[in-house]
Amino acid sequence: MAAPVLCSGCPQRCWALVWVYGRCRHRRGAPVGSTCNWMRGQSSVAQQPLHTARKPRKGEPEWAAVVGLEIHAQISSNSKLFSGSQVCFAAPPNSLVSFFDASLPGTLPVLNRRCVEAAVMTGLALNCHINKKSLFDRKHYFYADLPAGYQITQHRLPIAVNGSLAYSSCAGTKQSQMTTRTVRVKQIQLEQDSGKSLHDDLRSQTLIDLNRAGIGLLELVLEPDVSCGEEAATAVRELQLILQALGTSHAGMAEGQLRVDANVSVHRPGEPLGIRTEVKNLNSIRFLAKAIDYEIQRQIQELENGGEILNETRSFDYKLGCTVPMRDKEGKQDYRFMPEPNLPPLLLYDTASLPAGADSQQVINIDQIRERLPELPRVTRERLVQQYGMSWDHSFTLLNEVDLLAFFQNVMKETRAEPKKVTSWVLNTFLGYLKQQNLAVRESPVTASALAELLDLLDSKAISSSAAKQVFEELWKNEGKTPAQIVSEKKLELMQDQEALEQLCHSVMQAHPHVVMDVKGNPRAINKLIGLVRKATLSRADPTVIKTILERKLSS
Amino acid sequence: GSGRITAEMIEHLERLALVDFGSREAVARLEKAIAFSNRLHAVHTDGVEPMESVLEDRCLYLRSDDVVEGNCAEELLQNSHRIVEEYFVAPPGNIPLPKLDEQEPVLHS
């Protein structure tokens, strides 16, 4: 089990809580048969024993890596998948547990409509085919946090199949360089979550909290179309944003609402796929990428040294930055899948097949759900690029930060300034300040209205760009002053008095005749004059206006 | 009829179902049960869709997403042999069953 391995790393405090997400090594969403598909591969090259790796041909890349992701997303719902107990993150142990969740005899599963809708929404958003008929099965194994001794899942016929998840691959620095990659979604199935185990090695016991037992999960099985840690991380990030946009899952990895297992194997190009290992205990996107890349390198090194890869489950030790084998005492698991006898097939309808006079609470119309799908991140980004002329990179950043898009849109609503200006201020200045002080958008001392007002002042040329930055810094101090107040207090207004400015230009020209001479020979020297005038105005004059006046005077 | 059940198969079943086939009689009963079920093969089922559930014509009832249960930790914990604060207590991880060659031979002649 994972816990002993983790515990051996930490000094004495074994009683200190080591949460293990139940059945680390039991979580196999894909049917056992899928292993064989992997190993068969699609190559026409004759099978070679995998442990005698052949030397690469000249000019050929040495190794190809293949990563298959299995993702479990906790469904965002009020109650659990098959019972009416509450879904809530932190609560007193075993307080959110119904008789069914505790697997007391005589209890029966009753399917939660919201969970089915969440599954259909997610399937549609990922371009899946929604199975109008899907079935529930029991997957048997013994573990203390699974009181029934089986998990209700969808093994034979899941609710959605054959979809795709599009994500952009390392966009690079050029704005135009945004290549889209796709990873195929093999299937999406509904299943129960297990309870939580707290390992107490000191007293040789495990404490069980069933609050999580029975919460609805969406298991998403992706095809092995990903080839490195960065791609996996980007794909998972995009999935996270999609689930959050749909509202079907909060998808927080740190909170355990999104769990990712990676199946990793390497092979020589043109040869069949290699033996895969399963990497678990990945609780952040960063570690996901690190763990996958480490495992790929480990396998390559092992094979190049003439060793072989075991089909095992490994855990990522984030302190050491490496994967370690999890003790797998039982060998291959036989889950004894059988149909769930207490649940009839789940039937879904579309507008064409909807039975007449059906109770709307008892039927689910796929077409209706499709119509109500919210805007997906990909579409939002495209819209931002079209509507505001921003770059793809900008649109990514706007969506990547919680509440940042809403902030941006609120500023846009209240300001006259150009979108490009607003984009630049929000993504550079505003975001910069937030990051520096490690604040969320929600915690920002500067409101969207305040920034909008500031940008209006800038837009109407009441203040200069550098003055605006000063005002922003003052606003960040959150002393309750408006931008206009700060401007007047600090006397940051641009000089509007044309005559006074003309006078200043005149006196500067008088005071620096040699510079004036330079300009006659070298037009670029006018910048020096502009600089001198600006200093004289204490930076309260618009350089372009100064330039115009100077040029007029110089030519006369 | 079917062949005898091997000791490996018994061990495998014992691990899967946590059932103790303690005696030769139990294994014999198992063999008889399998032979009895094998009579199903006498039925010609080519081209017939298997029935997976006797409920296949029923409508799967959909519950609305309301919180109506839970909040009975005290009651549930009463069922447990051992508790610590409000947690159920279980043995640490899965206790490994002894391997075949480590145990006493199950099948007595």
Side-chain angles (χ1 to χ4, degrees):
Chain A
M1 294 275 98
V5 176
L6 292 175
C7 242
S8 63
C10 58
Q12 313 169 328
R13 306 177 301 136
C14 284
W15 169 222
L17 322 177
V18 178
W19 287 105
V20 172
Y21 286 116
R23 31 9 175 343
C24 314
R25 62 185 169 81
H26 293 289
R27 221 173 244 310
R28 277 184 233 293
V32 176
S34 69
T35 321
C36 307
N37 291 335
W38 276 50
M39 288 172 66
R40 247 180 266 128
Q42 294 111 5
S43 166
S44 57
V45 172
Q47 293 263 355
Q48 289 185 6
L50 290 157
H51 53 269
T52 57
R54 70 165 171 85
K55 297 258 182 304
R57 303 207 178 92
K58 207 169 174 177
E60 191 183 65
E62 294 230 349
W63 290 98
V66 156
V67 181
L69 298 169
E70 279 171 25
I71 300 162
H72 290 88
Q74 232 179 40
I75 299 176
S76 167
S77 61
N78 299 327
S79 58
K80 295 184 181 177
L81 181 58
F82 292 117
S83 69
S85 41
Q86 191 184 8
V87 174
C88 180
F89 187 49
N94 292 307
S95 61
L96 308 176
V97 184
S98 69
F99 288 178
F100 171 78
D101 303 328
S103 176
L104 298 191
T107 55
L108 294 172
V110 187
L111 184 55
N112 180 339
R113 186 198 163 87
R114 156 68 184 160
C115 293
V116 182
E117 289 174 342
V120 174
M121 281 176 78
T122 308
L124 290 172
L126 295 175
N127 309 305
C128 294
H129 167 76
I130 307 293
N131 282 329
K132 293 227 187 78
K133 171 172 156 181
S134 60
L135 306 167
F136 289 101
D137 304 297
R138 290 184 182 181
K139 176 178 178 182
H140 300 81
Y141 62 89
F142 290 108
Y143 202 65
D145 65 13
L146 196 70
Y150 60 85
Q151 174 202 33
I152 301 180
T153 176
Q154 292 188 300
H155 175 72
R156 288 165 294 157
L157 200 51
I159 190 166
V161 291
N162 294 338
S164 63
L165 166 63
Y167 62 99
S168 86
S169 84
C170 7
T173 46
K174 286 229 176 80
Q175 292 182 7
S176 50
Q177 260 175 22
M178 201 214 56
T179 38
T180 310
R181 284 191 196 270
T182 321
V183 51
R184 290 166 294 161
V185 177
K186 180 159 185 272
Q187 65 189 56
I188 301 178
Q189 61 203 56
L190 280 165
E191 57 182 37
Q192 291 173 305
D193 206 347
S194 68
K196 274 200 183 152
S197 312
L198 234 181
H199 294 277
D200 174 10
D201 288 325
L202 210 61
R203 292 176 191 72
S204 203
Q205 61 189 15
T206 300
L207 304 185
I208 306 291
D209 172 12
L210 296 177
N211 282 348
R212 201 184 65 177
I215 293 184
L217 292 179
L218 288 177
E219 167 155 352
L220 298 102
V221 183
L222 305 184
E223 300 280 13
D225 296 338
V226 165
S227 57
C228 67
E230 160 127 39
E231 284 179 9
T234 317
V236 171
R237 177 72 185 126
E238 187 66 10
L239 178 65
Q240 223 178 10
L241 292 173
I242 292 175
L243 291 171
Q244 288 165 352
L246 291 173
T248 49
S249 171
H250 297 301
M253 280 189 83
E255 298 84 352
Q257 294 155 332
L258 191 73
R259 297 166 226 160
V260 183
D261 301 332
N263 295 290
V264 182
S265 75
V266 298
H267 63 282
R268 296 279 188 206
E271 291 200 355
L273 298 183
I275 304 215
R276 64 169 183 161
T277 61
E278 188 179 10
V279 184
K280 290 180 168 296
N281 190 34
L282 305 165
N283 48 24
S284 82
I285 301 229
R286 232 181 88 233
F287 290 146
L288 169 68
K290 271 182 123 175
I292 289 173
D293 287 333
Y294 174 85
E295 180 61 17
I296 291 172
Q297 284 313 307
R298 186 194 72 87
Q299 290 193 10
I300 290 175
Q301 270 175 19
E302 186 69 32
L303 291 173
E304 285 187 341
N305 292 337
E308 56 177 28
I309 306 299
L310 298 169
N311 179 3
E312 60 178 351
T313 307
R314 298 176 73 87
S315 171
F316 182 63
D317 185 326
Y318 57 90
K319 288 198 191 115
L320 300 176
C322 64
T323 62
V324 292
M326 286 166 62
R327 267 188 288 153
D328 195 21
K329 293 172 269 190
E330 300 295 322
K332 265 270 182 270
Q333 278 288 313
D334 179 350
Y335 295 112
R336 293 176 293 145
F337 286 101
M338 66 176 252
E340 168 55 60
N342 295 321
L343 294 171
L346 172 60
L347 299 175
L348 304 174
Y349 302 92
D350 50 28
T351 315
S353 62
L354 207 55
D359 179 1
S360 65
Q361 280 301 101
Q362 286 304 314
V363 292
I364 291 192
N365 183 343
I366 301 171
D367 290 334
Q368 221 174 53
I369 294 182
R370 188 185 283 112
E371 280 160 34
R372 287 179 352 219
L373 280 181
E375 188 176 74
L376 294 180
R378 212 176 344 121
V379 177
T380 308
R381 287 188 203 113
E382 226 174 83
R383 183 169 56 78
L384 290 172
V385 169
Q386 297 304 331
Q387 194 174 352
Y388 299 119
M390 64 174 72
S391 71
W392 285 107
D393 268 350
H394 290 159
S395 69
F396 267 97
T397 313
L398 267 181
L399 261 66
N400 208 35
E401 207 65 42
V402 178
D403 299 324
L404 188 59
L405 177 61
F407 183 87
F408 169 81
Q409 285 170 328
N410 286 337
V411 175
M412 281 303 303
K413 254 191 271 175
E414 296 188 34
T415 185
R416 285 183 325 258
E418 285 211 347
K420 286 209 185 229
K421 258 280 187 280
V422 180
T423 308
S424 173
W425 270 83
V426 170
L427 291 182
N428 297 328
T429 318
F430 178 68
L431 194 58
Y433 269 77
L434 282 179
K435 287 298 174 196
Q436 209 183 51
Q437 300 181 18
N438 205 12
L439 292 172
V441 174
R442 222 165 265 233
E443 299 164 316
S444 160
V446 177
T447 63
S449 305
L451 182 56
E453 199 188 313
L454 175 56
L455 291 176
D456 276 348
L457 289 172
L458 186 58
D459 186 63
S460 62
K461 297 209 191 296
I463 54 175
S464 71
S465 188
S466 52
K469 295 256 162 66
Q470 277 181 274
V471 175
F472 189 85
E473 197 175 315
E474 279 302 309
L475 281 174
W476 199 266
K477 291 184 192 159
N478 205 10
E479 289 165 358
K481 302 192 198 131
T482 69
Q485 283 172 330
I486 297 174
V487 166
S488 75
E489 269 180 33
K490 291 194 172 269
K491 299 203 201 303
L492 292 168
E493 312 90 341
L494 279 178
M495 282 182 73
Q496 304 292 357
D497 190 340
Q498 192 77 349
E499 260 197 51
L501 195 52
E502 298 239 359
Q503 278 279 39
L504 257 173
C505 288
H506 183 79
S507 45
V508 165
M509 281 173 71
Q510 296 270 322
H512 299 93
H514 46 283
V515 186
V516 177
M517 287 276 282
D518 283 341
V519 179
K520 307 264 189 229
N522 171 19
R524 296 260 303 256
I526 197 172
N527 289 329
K528 191 153 187 225
L529 268 179
I530 297 176
L532 288 167
V533 175
R534 282 193 74 195
K535 258 173 91 174
T537 64
L538 304 167
S539 284
R540 285 173 54 204
D542 186 348
T544 38
V545 176
I546 298 174
K547 189 170 182 191
T548 320
I549 299 175
L550 284 173
E551 281 174 344
R552 197 178 358 105
K553 287 197 182 297
L554 285 167
S555 61
S556 64
Chain B
S2 60
R4 309 298 291 281
I5 312 289
T6 63
E8 281 83 15
M9 176 60 72
I10 295 292
E11 197 215 353
H12 184 58
L13 290 174
E14 282 184 334
R15 282 174 190 279
L16 285 185
L18 290 188
V19 168
D20 185 11
F21 289 94
S23 67
R24 189 72 196 92
E25 279 81 20
V27 178
R29 220 173 298 133
L30 174 65
E31 287 170 346
K32 285 210 189 83
I34 293 173
F36 177 75
S37 316
N38 277 343
R39 280 152 60 187
L40 285 171
H41 291 315
V43 180
H44 188 69
T45 56
D46 284 350
V48 178
E49 270 302 302
M51 168 186 268
E52 287 151 348
S53 166
V54 295
L55 302 173
E56 64 181 18
D57 289 338
R58 297 284 187 95
C59 204
L60 177 50
Y61 178 75
L62 295 173
R63 181 175 57 82
S64 73
D65 187 24
D66 303 313
V67 176
V68 295
E69 301 177 276
N71 239 319
C72 50
E74 219 179 284
E75 242 182 310
L76 291 173
L77 290 166
Q78 276 172 14
N79 277 331
S80 182
H81 178 59
R82 279 174 64 202
I83 60 172
V84 164
E85 291 166 29
E86 288 155 320
Y87 293 92
F88 295 100
V89 177
N94 274 345
I95 302 169
L97 294 174
K99 286 203 182 335
L100 185 65
D101 47 9
E102 289 167 11
Q103 338 169 277
E104 294 286 298
V106 172
L107 310 173
H108 306 291
S109 50

